[in-house]
Amino acid sequence: MSRLKERLMEMFFEEEAILFGHFVLTSGRESDYYINVKNLVTNPNALDVIASMVEETAKGAGLEFDKVAGPELGAVPIATAVALKTGKRLLIVRKKPKGHGTGTQIEGKVKPGDRVLLVEDVTTTGGSVLKAAEVLEKASAKVVGISVVVDREEGAKGVIGGRYPFLPLVTVSELFARRDSPPGKK
């Protein structure tokens, strides 16, 4: 396991980015745990680790991209950090078109053929991030891959992986294994 991945998993527990209880997820599913990446990305050190890992995994997968995009709200700090790390332009994908001004659903300039790496905080079924990919493609961009901080392993890999390279930084089973067997314990 890479040093960055090890550090990211430590930070999930340090920042209390995994909560236990009863939660309803964006997908509508109920869960007894919640991955709160927003807790994590408020720490600039964690954002740096995430951006480095996204850059590293995209490069390892052979993905070349001109821009990095994130759907609002959770992925915006992540996409911003990746844009800063890579020097690539940032795109923000709104859930709905603006009801005023230009009425756009994408903040930032998209040119036909732009290769875009789409980032997300957490995936469950993959529906939310796929909607963002569709918005980008309607604007003539080419989504070259989807990088996610945590894959909950509840179907997103199959749904997203059938259309785009899917690059989770960590999976929920890796986080749970880490919780059940912290470093230094044998």
Side-chain angles (χ1 to χ4, degrees):
M1 182 177 309
S2 79
R3 179 188 59 78
L4 285 174
K5 186 170 187 169
E6 185 69 31
R7 181 64 188 128
L8 178 62
M9 290 198 302
E10 285 172 12
M11 291 175 138
F12 264 95
F13 294 99
E14 290 169 5
E15 298 295 330
E16 299 176 353
I18 301 177
L19 305 171
F20 296 91
H22 181 266
F23 304 94
V24 177
L25 308 175
T26 304
S27 65
R29 292 184 183 186
E30 294 185 13
S31 177
D32 58 355
Y33 68 94
Y34 181 66
I35 306 292
N36 190 352
V37 176
K38 291 165 197 73
N39 252 15
L40 189 63
V41 299
T42 58
N43 176 335
N45 295 321
L47 267 176
D48 186 55
V49 169
I50 290 167
S52 295
M53 286 182 71
V54 169
E55 180 181 39
E56 193 176 274
T57 57
K59 188 181 282 187
L63 300 182
E64 293 185 19
F65 57 99
D66 308 305
K67 297 183 177 162
V68 60
E72 68 171 327
L73 171 73
V76 172
I78 298 162
T80 302
V82 173
L84 288 167
K85 176 73 70 182
T86 62
K88 306 292 185 182
R89 303 273 314 221
L90 172 67
L91 301 170
I92 300 170
V93 183
R94 295 175 177 275
K95 291 178 181 152
K96 295 186 245 178
K98 275 193 326 190
H100 60 281
T102 61
T104 185
Q105 195 166 352
I106 301 172
E107 297 299 336
K109 200 160 202 80
V110 179
K111 292 185 232 154
D114 275 347
R115 298 168 299 174
V116 177
L117 177 65
L118 184 55
V119 299
E120 180 65 294
D121 57 354
V122 180
T123 53
T124 302
T125 62
S128 296
V129 75
L130 285 176
K131 286 178 187 169
E134 289 169 8
V135 169
L136 289 162
E137 290 178 342
K138 282 181 187 169
S140 299
K142 177 176 176 20
V143 176
V144 297
I146 295 177
S147 179
V148 59
V149 178
V150 180
D151 177 18
R152 289 181 55 101
E153 299 174 291
E154 294 182 33
K157 179 180 181 178
V159 171
I160 295 169
R163 294 179 59 187
Y164 306 101
F166 181 58
L167 309 170
L169 302 184
V170 297
T171 63
V172 77
S173 58
E174 290 173 318
L175 288 171
F176 281 8
R178 175 55 176 266
R179 174 198 67 179
D180 297 338
S181 175
K185 281 200 171 181
K186 302 235 175 180

